[in-house]
């Protein structure tokens, strides 16, 4: 039986800048060990590159992901940290640590990645919320790097994952991106309906000019045309309202993007 997919495979679910650090060799952590990268998440991969325009990307296959969890602040003395534990091509467990720009962004990434993993069959039931540094785990102080995790994982998507704790602006951006995909089609249908409405109005006018003897039942014809015109007018009004809303959201989106870029500069700085 085929597993149900939460997202369309070709769709980019989430993208944006994060700071990242692989779990290997993190005994010494400096500001330079966390590198700013642009991430893309789809139902098949989590990939990243130095800039959005770069097409050669490092990639983690979603079916190889084993856990998606938060990281304690004291592990790296950094807030908004999370980790993706996955298996490499040889079956070895690897960890990618990532830092978001704020708590909302962190929850969005956690929820989005967890949703793509709902069909994975090899998810871990425990993990370490800390990091292995100085020959021990910062969370449980165990010295063996391969020791079993000291905390339970999110073995499945919780209600909180599906009801993302987004701020209203971020929620609006998600809705806007979905509406934008159908705007051209909606506008085309709107213009097409406008032409049909004009044709219906012409038909009603022609019906008014028809001599009674020329029609089998002119009253029924006229009533039917009026109902059709009324239904058409309602659809046109709804489409026009939705197009106006999308226009308002487009203007808000441009303002949101400017504010996001300014916030990213403040959080991540200009360097890598």
């Amino acid at each position: 039986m085929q597993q149900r997919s939460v997202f369309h495979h070709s769709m980019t679910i989430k993208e944006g800048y994060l700071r990242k650090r692989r779990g290997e060799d993190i005994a010494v952590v400096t500001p330079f060990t966390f590198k700013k990268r642009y991430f893309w998440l789809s139902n098949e991969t989590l990939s990243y590159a130095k800039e959005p325009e770069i097409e050669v990307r490092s990639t983690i296959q979603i079916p190889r992901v084993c856990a998606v969890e938060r990281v304690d602040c004291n592990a790296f003395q950094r807030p908004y940290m999370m980790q993706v534990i996955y298996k490499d091509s040889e079956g070895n467990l690897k960890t990618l640590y990532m830092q978001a720009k704020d708590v909302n962004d962190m929850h969005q990434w956690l929820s989005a990645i967890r949703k793509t993993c709902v069909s994975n069959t090899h998810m871990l039931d425990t993990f370490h919320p800390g990091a292995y540094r100085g020959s021990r785990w910062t969370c449980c102080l165990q010295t063996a790097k391969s020791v079993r995790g000291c905390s339970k994982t999110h073995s499945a998507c919780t209600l909180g994952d599906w009801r993302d704790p987004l701020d209203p602006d971020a929620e609006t951006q998600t809705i806007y991106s979905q509406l934008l995909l159908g705007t051209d089609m909606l506008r085309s249908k709107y213009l097409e309906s406008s032409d049909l409405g004009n044709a219906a109005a012409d038909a009603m006018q022609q019906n008014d000019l028809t001599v009674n003897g020329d029609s089998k039942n002119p009253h029924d014809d006229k009533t039917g045309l009026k109902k059709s015109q009324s239904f058409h007018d309602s659809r046109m009004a709804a489409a026009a309202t939705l197009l106006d809303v999308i226009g308002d959201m487009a203007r808000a989106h441009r303002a949101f993007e400017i504010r996001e870029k300014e916030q990213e500069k403040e959080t991540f700085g200009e360097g890598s």
Side-chain angles (χ1 to χ4, degrees):
M1 181 177 178
Q2 186 177 7
Q3 295 282 357
R4 294 178 60 188
S5 295
V6 181
F7 300 102
H8 191 276
H9 284 267
S10 61
M11 177 181 177
T12 297
I13 300 163
K14 185 168 175 59
E15 59 183 293
Y17 281 107
L18 297 168
R19 287 196 178 276
K20 67 91 182 176
R21 181 71 173 92
R22 291 191 175 274
E24 300 82 20
D25 191 27
I26 56 173
V28 178
V29 178
T30 70
F32 299 103
T33 61
F34 282 86
K35 299 183 181 296
K36 181 182 176 182
R37 294 293 182 264
Y38 196 87
F39 280 75
W40 296 264
L41 173 67
S42 73
N43 200 37
E44 298 173 330
T45 61
L46 174 65
S47 56
Y48 58 89
K50 191 170 183 178
E51 299 294 342
E53 300 79 15
I54 299 177
E55 299 199 8
V56 178
R57 307 171 182 175
S58 301
T59 300
I60 297 173
Q61 300 295 325
I62 290 299
R64 294 182 179 273
V65 173
C66 303
V68 184
E69 300 293 337
R70 294 185 61 172
V71 177
D72 290 342
C73 291
N74 60 5
F76 298 104
Q77 303 303 313
R78 286 172 173 261
Y80 320 130
M81 290 290 303
M82 51 192 161
Q83 59 182 311
V84 174
I85 304 173
Y86 63 99
K87 289 185 177 181
D88 63 14
S89 58
E90 297 179 355
N92 300 313
L93 285 178
K94 302 289 184 179
T95 303
L96 178 67
Y97 294 100
M98 302 177 294
Q99 182 187 21
K101 62 186 177 185
D102 55 41
V103 66
N104 278 316
D105 193 41
M106 179 187 70
H107 280 298
Q108 290 170 38
W109 277 104
L110 285 170
S111 295
I113 301 172
R114 284 171 181 166
K115 290 171 194 174
T116 65
C117 301
V118 292
S119 298
N120 289 10
T121 57
H122 52 266
M123 301 297 285
L124 299 175
D125 56 359
T126 62
F127 79 107
H128 288 285
Y132 191 78
R133 297 175 56 192
S135 301
R136 67 180 60 203
W137 289 98
T138 60
C139 45
C140 59
L141 304 181
Q142 294 289 326
T143 56
K145 190 173 184 178
S146 60
V147 70
R148 180 180 173 84
C150 56
S151 296
K152 289 186 175 296
T153 59
H154 289 76
S155 57
C157 286
T158 64
L159 181 60
D161 290 324
W162 291 105
R163 191 176 57 205
D164 294 343
L166 308 181
D167 61 47
D169 284 340
E171 188 81 39
T172 303
Q173 295 308 303
T174 302
I175 297 171
Y176 169 73
S177 65
Q178 296 301 314
L179 286 174
L180 196 61
L181 295 175
T183 300
D184 290 340
M185 182 180 295
L186 176 64
R187 186 174 289 110
S188 175
K189 291 291 184 182
Y190 176 80
L191 295 174
E192 180 182 314
S193 296
S194 179
D195 292 339
L196 291 174
N198 292 334
D202 291 343
M204 286 185 66
Q205 186 177 9
Q206 185 64 36
N207 185 272
D208 288 338
L209 297 175
T210 301
V211 180
N212 289 342
D214 294 338
S215 177
K216 184 172 65 175
N217 195 335
H219 177 72
D220 289 346
D221 290 345
K222 189 172 182 179
T223 301
L225 285 171
K226 284 185 175 180
K227 287 182 177 178
S228 176
Q229 182 68 26
S230 177
F231 176 70
H232 170 268
D233 290 345
S234 297
R235 291 186 61 185
M236 288 287 288
T241 299
L242 186 53
L243 286 172
D244 286 342
V245 170
I246 294 174
D248 290 340
M249 294 181 76
R251 288 185 286 274
H253 174 72
R254 288 191 289 271
F256 179 85
E257 283 187 322
I258 293 172
R259 190 168 69 251
E260 283 284 282
K261 288 179 181 178
E262 291 175 349
Q263 186 176 4
E264 283 181 357
K265 286 181 180 179
E266 292 176 1
T267 302
F268 294 136
E270 297 292 345
S272 60

